[in-house]
Structures are given as structure tokens and as C-alpha cells.
Amino acid sequence: MRFFPRLSTVRGSIFGPVIGLSMAVIALQSASAMEGTAVFADPSKIVAVGGSITEIVYALGEEKHLVARDSTSRYPKAALDLPDVGYMRALSPEGVLSVNPTGILALHGSGPKEAVDVLKKTSVPFIEVPEHYSHEGILEKVRIVGKALGVDAKAEVLARELDAKLTAAEKQTTSIKERKRILFVLSIQGGKILAAGSETAADGMVKLAGGVNAVEGFSGYKQMSDEAIITARPDVILMMSNAGPPVSDDELFGNPSIASTPAGKARKLIRIDGAYLLGFGPRTADAIHDLAVSLYGGQVTD
């Protein structure tokens, strides 16, 4: 998952074996030559960085191209059999290059910047896939991944299927007049709530599912003051499961600021798998439906 540029703790599997200096020197021999590549000349051994990228490759039926994946790529289950080159925001050039890839397909936001800069200057083509937390952003990712692998026609078919599913999922809440105010809590650090503002995957999902982000005034993920949380008046707290340090219900609702909100008083909490909820990939239409049902129950129309 997802996935968060401001996470304070980096997780993921141990990087692949470190390769020798001689290999790194060879890989760096054509600096910047491959930047701007849109199609892999040789897609036989691709490293996928970003859970949604890996999911799209599998959804296209092109997983035979994959030689490795990053630690956020945990779906489908078959992807777990691939070598893990590390957490997408803490990549090691040596780890990525250790599998001798013919191409690197990475979601925007992969890092750190220094590592990505090194990878972009190697002789291995590097294609960066934009990340926009929207309906159209998902279709764009599908088309870019398909083009990179030389399967534009298959990508267009998948994009059309997902377009129809996303449109149907978004329509399920159009008749609901009283929208829930949602506070997405990424973590609790030292008693402080780290919440999602605008321009985040959480903000995008809340809106697609017919909710309202209770947070206003900042973008990204930031710590909120007790006063700001009380002022936000969330009806529901939304959190990820299977991602980040665990936060128990008692810890969450024992927080004085959360306890003072409508969500706290009603102990209204929704937990959804992080990669599923915030991946913005082939499963997002289903995630929109599930979140909407959790928010509005029988008011959701199929």
C-alpha cells in the first residue's frame, strides 16, 4: 500500500542481495539515456514498484513479465512469490538492480529521490507512472502500464471495464442527501492524531464513496491539534487494517479529542485493508462499494 510520503516509520522486506560495485558501474554507463521512455524495448524482466502497478500487470494477464516487486505489492497472492526489492519509498538501487531487470515500472512517489535519480541514470529503462487519486487517474495508470508492456489494446479493454465499474460504484450514493463526515486516521503518535487532508488517497476514496473529508485547510497527512479534531466533527473514523502500527479501539476512542466528536461518542469506526482501500487500482470500484455500504448501509443502491 498505499503508500504515504510522510510516514515516519518505513516498513518492508529486507532488500535483495547487494550487488558488486562493478555491476553498479556498468548499470550507470548511459546516464539519463532512458528517461522519458514510454515503451520497454525488452519487457521480459520488469520490476514493478507500487501495489497498484503490480495489480494492473496481473489484471492485464501480463505477469509473465515480472521478475520482482516491491513490498507494497501484496495482491494478488501470486505476487508474493516474486522477489521483494524493498519498500517503495525506501528503495535501494542495488536491491532493484540485483534481479538484472530489463525495465523498472514505478509508481510516482517511489523513493527516496536519490535512489530514484540513480536508477533513472542507469542503462535500465525506468518508466514512472503518475498517481492521481481519482476515477480518471486509475484509467490513466492502466493505459500507461499497458503501453509500457506493449499491450495497448488489452489495456484499453481493461480501462473500459474499470470505467464502467467505477461509474456504477460512484452512482450508488448519488441519492443520499445527508453525507457522513469522515476522519481518516493514519496513526496515533504520542497521543496525537495523524490525519488525511486533501490531495491524499484517503481523501479521494472518501469522496468517491459519497462521504465528506472532515479535515479542511491542509493537504497530505499531518498531525492535528485536539481543537482541530473537535472542530472537524467527524461522524465516522476510517482507518486501515494490515498497515502501520496497530491502534486498538480503546486507544483510539480513549483519545480525549476523538471521544468528544460524534464518531467518538458513537464509537463509529471502519477498518478496511490498506492496499484495498487506498490502492487506486483494479479493485477500487469494489472498495468504493464496500466503504459506501459501511457508511450508509441500505441507502446504497446497486
Side-chain angles (χ1 to χ4, degrees):
M1 294 222 352
R2 28 156 195 135
F3 310 134
F4 306 105
R6 303 190 182 184
L7 278 172
S8 61
T9 305
V10 171
R11 297 166 187 85
S13 301
I14 296 174
F15 296 150
V18 176
I19 62 174
L21 177 61
S22 59
M23 183 180 292
V25 171
I26 292 171
L28 287 165
Q29 63 188 349
S30 58
S32 302
M34 296 302 173
E35 288 196 57
T37 300
V39 183
F40 291 122
D42 178 5
S44 63
K45 297 174 67 178
I46 303 301
V47 174
V49 179
S52 62
I53 302 302
T54 302
E55 286 193 34
I56 290 168
V57 174
Y58 274 88
L60 289 169
E62 298 296 322
E63 62 272 17
K64 62 182 179 290
H65 297 290
L66 296 180
V67 68
R69 49 94 190 180
D70 79 305
S71 61
T72 70
S73 299
R74 304 189 61 80
Y75 184 90
K77 187 177 180 180
L80 297 177
D81 294 332
L82 292 167
D84 183 345
V85 298
Y87 178 57
M88 68 172 286
R89 301 199 189 282
L91 297 174
S92 155
E94 293 84 4
V96 175
L97 296 173
S98 70
V99 295
N100 299 313
T102 60
I104 301 165
L105 191 58
L107 189 63
H108 177 76
S110 299
K113 182 180 183 301
E114 295 78 11
V116 170
D117 287 344
V118 169
L119 290 170
K120 286 181 176 180
K121 291 176 181 177
T122 71
S123 59
V124 180
F126 187 105
I127 296 179
E128 187 173 67
V129 183
E131 176 77 291
H132 302 293
Y133 306 121
S134 65
H135 178 143
E136 287 302 322
I138 295 169
L139 306 185
E140 179 186 31
K141 283 199 284 190
V142 168
R143 292 180 173 120
I144 289 173
V145 171
K147 183 176 181 64
L149 298 178
V151 290
D152 303 65
K154 289 177 73 172
E156 191 57 38
V157 170
L158 177 59
R160 289 176 181 173
E161 290 175 356
L162 294 179
D163 185 26
K165 289 185 68 176
L166 287 163
T167 298
E170 292 168 62
K171 286 182 178 178
Q172 291 174 326
T173 57
T174 53
S175 64
I176 296 173
K177 293 182 172 53
E178 293 187 15
R179 303 283 168 159
K180 301 286 188 181
R181 295 177 59 81
I182 316 301
L183 177 66
F184 179 88
V185 175
L186 182 61
S187 66
I188 300 179
Q189 301 173 352
K192 294 294 185 181
I193 302 296
L194 188 64
S198 62
E199 300 177 29
T200 61
D203 180 70
M205 274 302 298
V206 164
K207 291 174 180 175
L208 288 171
V212 175
N213 189 347
V215 172
E216 299 176 348
F218 68 81
S219 60
Y221 296 88
K222 293 184 180 180
Q223 282 191 349
M224 295 183 67
S225 67
D226 293 347
E227 182 181 1
I229 291 171
I230 294 169
T231 302
R233 297 176 292 103
D235 300 302
V236 178
I237 307 297
L238 176 62
M239 298 188 73
M240 296 184 295
S241 57
N242 305 321
V247 177
S248 69
D249 290 14
D250 288 342
E251 181 182 2
L252 175 69
F253 293 118
N255 182 284
S257 58
I258 294 291
S260 300
T261 66
K265 292 173 182 176
R267 293 181 70 89
K268 182 62 178 177
L269 169 64
I270 297 171
R271 296 183 191 264
I272 299 178
D273 178 78
Y276 178 61
L277 177 68
L278 304 182
F280 279 81
R283 297 184 291 163
T284 295
D286 294 329
I288 291 170
H289 171 78
D290 290 352
L291 178 55
V293 169
S294 296
L295 292 172
Y296 301 111
Q299 296 182 72
V300 174
T301 57
D302 292 324

